[in-house]
Amino acid sequence: MSPLFLFLSFVALLSALGVVLAKNPVHSVLFLILTFFTLSGHYLLLNAQFLAAVNIIVYAGAIMVLFLFVIMFLNLNEETEPHKPALAKFAAAIAGGSLLLILVAAMRNINPAGYDPTSFDSQIGMVDRLGLVLFQQYALPFELASVLLLAAMVGSVMLGKRETGERNF
Amino acid sequence: MTLPALGWQGLVVLVVFGVSLLIATYSTYAERVIAAFLQDRVGPDRAGPFGLLQPLADAVKLFTKEEFFPAGANRALFVFGPCLAMVTALMSSAVIPFGNVLQFGETAIHLQGIEINVGMLYVFGMVSLGVYGIMIGGWASNNKFSLLGAIRAASQNISYEIAMGLALIAVLMMSGTLSLREITLQQSVAGEWHFWNIAKQPLGFVIFIVCAFAETNRTPFDLPECETELIGGYHTEYSSMKMGLYLFAEYINVFVASAVMSVLYFGGFNFPFQYELRDWLVSSQGLELVTASNIITILGLVGLFAKIFGFIFFFMWVRWTLPRFRYDQLMRLGWTILIPLAIFNIMLTGGLITFGVIK
């Protein structure tokens, strides 16, 4: 394990803990952004440049901006945080603990398949290779997903459109 | 002096960093000179010859002013906001190819911070992160005008990113690569007529430049800091150098946006008849091919900076000419005009490529 990998993993775990433990929701969001950055670092170590860049653009750049936007709009902060009843906290601890137990139990005996250094293709994460796979092997699911996203975008434009007779200002 | 190849590349990174800061510094001066010219005033002319030391005087002023924290502000994030704005602005200049290769014997120096396979996506990612500095600073100020500015910045950036991305896709369809260096090299081929991308993508360029104005928060889209409604928008509560960092980040963003537009649409470091000039230097002036290539590279570097300064001038020209949009007009322009236009541009480009009109 390279020192870079260890460092990234350390920061990733620490910032992921920060997301859960921070009292202030805005701090939580910022920790989550840092977590996405460390994940992108891991993608880069795996030579998946495209995935790393898209992770930054989509998650850190767009989705988290919306999170922050909503949190700022609702003016959530430490004072307005609702106090959960003890029963809810207890139930959450039990549920979370059993999920952890199941995950650890499932992962315990996993034997990583590894890779064959002679046939391993280091360029597999590059954008052109990914494009070939997406457009040859998975052309139909890819196109369906893109139509879904386009429909969402057209829908938002329709919602924002001025209707006849409606007055703005 | 011998430096390993990586050492030279590190030096290039430092130079890119320094040049970005220098250009941002003198953009503040240029902005005032151009404003004065457009409004028929004298402009800054007191500090040094032609007022050239004005940025230095401003820096002294900003550094020595009182640092003020508003009551109830989140102190850590209040400081973190301008830092983040500055960092994201500076990071995006790393992948821009400022010039071709300089060859000195064995060492080849690429006049580019780093060359990565997904350069365009990297710039796009950094641009989309730029809004955090504004949002965090505006929120941490504990002031409703700052918060309104921050929220405006967020929604404006997200809206215009979509149209910007769609305009980029049309360029990608022609280039087939995300590397900014490759895109530049494709725009000029020796021995044949080859046009810059602006000739093939006029509509895409118009969409891109409008989005660039929105992404850098420049007039006519500077609604996050709209002083007639929001006092100063997200930086209402900021003073001293923290305020200066926000202004600086804006000018660096303008510089990077100008550089990206020059690279994507205006041929980057290419200039007309460069190969003919190189061959003429070799055949008539008796220079070696390597020396002639180096001269062309340096001329290309100068050419790219001329294009960049042209775009920076355009940004300033527009700022002192056009009035500010209203917020609902801004959103309507982004969602109902630019995005459909960008989708139409993609279809048009696809059709033209299919029928072999452009490649």
Side-chain angles (χ1 to χ4, degrees), chain A residues 3-167:
Chain A
L4 202 56
F5 172 79
L6 288 176
F7 173 73
L8 280 175
S9 309
F10 177 71
V11 177
L13 289 175
L14 215 62
S15 51
L17 276 177
V19 177
V20 188
L21 297 178
K23 288 275 186 215
N24 191 328
V26 173
H27 293 176
S28 283
V29 169
L30 295 178
F31 275 123
L32 194 51
I33 295 165
L34 187 60
T35 315
F36 284 130
F37 262 92
T38 53
L39 289 185
S40 271
H42 280 298
Y43 290 140
L44 280 184
L45 286 185
L46 294 170
N47 212 8
Q49 295 181 357
F50 180 71
L51 210 53
V54 166
N55 187 41
I56 295 281
I57 294 171
V58 175
Y59 285 94
I63 292 179
M64 295 323 290
V65 171
L66 284 180
F67 271 46
L68 209 53
F69 188 82
V70 171
I71 287 172
M72 285 177 178
F73 244 142
L74 301 179
N75 198 18
L76 298 174
N77 50 40
E78 280 168 64
E79 289 89 63
T80 56
E81 196 186 18
H83 291 280
K84 291 152 194 111
L87 185 66
K89 284 181 185 169
F90 187 67
I94 296 283
S98 36
L99 181 66
L100 179 70
L101 188 74
I102 291 169
L103 283 178
V104 169
M107 300 279 188
R108 196 168 50 94
N109 285 331
I110 278 183
N111 210 352
Y115 64 94
D116 180 12
T118 50
S119 64
F120 182 70
D121 180 8
S122 68
Q123 299 300 303
I124 198 140
M126 295 295 162
V127 57
D128 39 353
R129 305 291 297 272
L130 187 73
L132 285 178
V133 173
L134 275 183
F135 282 103
Q136 288 174 346
Q137 231 170 319
Y138 300 102
L140 185 64
F142 180 78
E143 291 300 331
L144 286 179
S146 68
V147 169
L148 186 70
L149 288 175
L150 185 68
M153 206 160 73
V154 171
S156 68
V157 172
M158 278 310 292
L159 285 176
K161 237 183 159 131
R162 198 199 308 225
E163 288 174 27
T164 46
E166 184 193 348
R167 276 191 66 221

Side-chain angles (χ1 to χ4, degrees), chain B residues 97 171 174 180 183-188 194-202 204-206 208-209 257-272 274 300 303-311 314:
Chain B
V171 177
M174 298 191 313
L180 290 174
I183 291 173
T184 308
L185 291 176
Q186 279 175 7
Q187 293 183 54
S188 177
H194 220 82
F195 292 104
W196 292 341
N197 280 341
I198 177 70
K200 304 169 189 166
Q201 284 289 334
F205 173 69
V206 171
F208 192 92
I209 196 167
S258 305
V260 169
M261 281 188 285
S262 315
V263 167
L264 289 181
Y265 293 100
F266 280 84
F269 52 70
N270 296 308
F271 58 93
Q274 52 183 349
L304 177 64
F305 272 97
K307 290 168 196 170
I308 291 174
F309 292 148
F311 276 115
F314 184 71

Side-chain angles (χ1 to χ4, degrees), chain A residues 24 26-27 30 33 37 49-50 53 57 60-62 64-66 68-69 72 126-127 153 156-157 162 168-169, chain B residues 74 77 117-118 121 124-125 128-129 131-132 135-136 139 147 151 154 158 162 178 328 332 335-336 339 343:
Chain A
N24 191 328
V26 173
H27 293 176
L30 295 178
I33 295 165
F37 262 92
Q49 295 181 357
F50 180 71
I57 294 171
M64 295 323 290
V65 171
L66 284 180
L68 209 53
F69 188 82
M72 285 177 178
M126 295 295 162
V127 57
M153 206 160 73
S156 68
V157 172
R162 198 199 308 225
N168 297 38
F169 307 103
Chain B
N74 187 325
L77 290 185
N117 191 291
V118 289
L121 287 180
F124 199 62
S128 66
L129 290 177
V131 70
Y132 282 118
M135 284 186 85
I136 289 169
W139 180 80
L147 184 66
I151 285 173
I158 290 192
I162 300 173
L178 285 163
D328 60 314
R332 188 159 306 122
W335 286 97
T336 62
I339 293 179
I343 294 176

